[in-house]
Amino acid sequence: MGKEIVKKVCELLKDVRNQKPLVHNITNYVTVNDCANILLAMGVSPIMADDIKESADITKISDALVINIGTLNERTIESMIASGKKANELNIPVVFDPVGSGASEFRNSTTKRILEEVRIDVLRGNMSEIKFISGLESTTKGVDASESDMKSGNEEGINVAKNLANKLNCIVAITGVTDIVSDGKRTVMLANGTKMLANVTGTGCMTSALIGGACGATNDYFIGAIAGIVSMGIAGEISFEKSGEIGLGSFRVGIIDAISNMNSDVIINMVKVQEI
């Protein structure tokens, strides 16, 4: 286990609660409430401003920006680009969640434009989305990864993450049964979580929000990405243990409860991380 990585994750999550970073989310209307609540549970101040008249101004006063194209529309694309450019200008970290990339030409062209016009610090997606962005053959199931892509081996995922991280000069995080995070040189596999997370709308979006929250309190976005993903995986395990048999509604609420109670002891006792 990467003891030094775990130590840094624990320290970062403490810093998040102490600093209470302001995180600007231009996200989708299906999951916006859950993203806001899970950030509050993390100790972060969330703000959701997607109108072009104010989006860049809000980013200017924020500690991190999260861009999510889940419910894509022409109006918010310009807000995403303007906010991303403002974040780049001020060295504010940008997390990009390319939801459904590969599913439609509109999503594909928007993803390409964002990656061309905005410097991304953390790119988080499922295997289908990341393979598509890498220029590899992939299939999607709407906004979810296809079964064939989900069956991609860890070795393939590691190579995809490393290569894309080097190509885009950013952190690449592939989330799935096993999560992979790479900056092109450092790579880890994370094995926390439960299959039930896939049955709740927005757990991927919430993970990206958590990454934004963590990156808003550090300059080490590699550790920030790991902290966000580990927090969601462990929260899913805790909620499943307490609420899994009750049903999906209780499980969803339990995730936010677990994030609100996340601490170093919980992480140290439960984290499953392997350095590559």
Side-chain angles (χ1 to χ4, degrees):
M1 183 175 74
K3 292 184 179 179
E4 186 62 27
I5 287 176
V6 174
K7 178 182 177 182
K8 288 181 178 179
V9 167
C10 291
E11 290 173 349
L12 175 54
L13 292 177
K14 287 181 181 177
D15 290 342
V16 169
R17 294 197 186 277
N18 289 332
Q19 295 178 28
K20 300 186 185 303
L22 177 65
V23 177
H24 182 195
N25 299 262
I26 304 179
T27 188
N28 76 78
Y29 54 71
V30 174
T31 65
V32 62
N33 184 259
D34 282 335
C35 288
N37 279 322
I38 208 156
L39 283 174
L40 287 168
M42 189 188 202
V44 173
S45 293
I47 186 166
M48 280 65 177
D50 65 7
D51 194 285
I52 189 63
K53 292 180 180 179
E54 70 165 352
S55 59
D57 285 341
I58 295 299
T59 297
K60 184 166 62 176
I61 63 170
S62 300
D63 297 295
L65 169 68
V66 180
I67 297 173
N68 177 309
I69 64 170
T71 48
L72 192 59
N73 65 73
E74 292 183 353
R75 179 183 64 82
T76 56
I77 292 172
E78 300 308 319
S79 300
M80 292 173 182
I81 298 295
S83 292
K85 288 181 176 179
K86 179 59 68 174
N88 289 168
E89 178 187 327
L90 300 174
N91 292 316
I92 294 166
V94 179
V95 178
F96 179 37
D97 189 338
V99 181
S101 291
S104 73
E105 179 54 38
F106 186 37
R107 288 178 186 274
N108 300 349
S109 60
T110 300
T111 297
K112 180 180 179 182
R113 184 182 171 195
I114 290 172
L115 292 174
E116 287 177 346
E117 298 189 33
V118 178
R119 186 182 71 251
I120 302 301
D121 295 290
V122 181
L123 176 67
R124 189 221 66 86
N126 62 41
M127 182 61 79
S128 294
E129 293 158 353
I130 299 301
K131 286 180 70 175
F132 171 78
I133 292 171
S134 299
L136 302 173
E137 183 177 348
S138 66
T139 55
T140 64
K141 187 180 179 182
V143 297
D144 299 320
S146 68
E147 290 186 16
S148 60
D149 285 337
M150 285 191 290
K151 291 178 181 177
S152 298
N154 289 335
E155 184 176 352
E156 179 184 2
I158 290 167
N159 289 332
V160 170
K162 280 185 176 181
N163 291 337
L164 189 57
N166 284 319
K167 179 181 178 181
L168 298 180
N169 192 29
C170 72
I171 311 301
V172 172
I174 305 174
T175 51
V177 176
T178 300
D179 306 311
I180 300 167
V181 182
S182 180
D183 65 1
K185 296 179 181 179
R186 300 175 293 175
T187 304
V188 298
M189 291 195 303
L190 308 169
N192 287 106
T194 167
K195 291 182 179 179
M196 200 166 179
L197 284 167
N199 296 327
V200 175
T201 297
T203 52
C205 300
M206 286 187 274
T207 301
S208 294
L210 290 171
I211 292 172
C215 288
T218 183
N219 292 321
D220 190 340
Y221 306 139
F222 179 69
I223 296 299
I226 295 171
I229 292 169
V230 162
S231 295
M232 175 57 77
I234 291 175
E237 291 180 16
I238 292 171
S239 182
F240 180 74
E241 180 69 24
K242 294 182 177 180
S243 309
E245 293 185 1
I246 300 174
L248 284 175
S250 296
F251 174 68
R252 168 178 163 273
V253 173
I255 293 170
I256 297 175
D257 289 341
I259 291 293
S260 69
N261 291 311
M262 194 68 60
N263 58 46
S264 296
D265 289 339
V266 172
I267 293 167
I268 291 169
N269 289 332
M270 297 185 67
V271 69
K272 300 171 186 175
V273 57
Q274 179 184 350
E275 292 185 79
I276 307 302

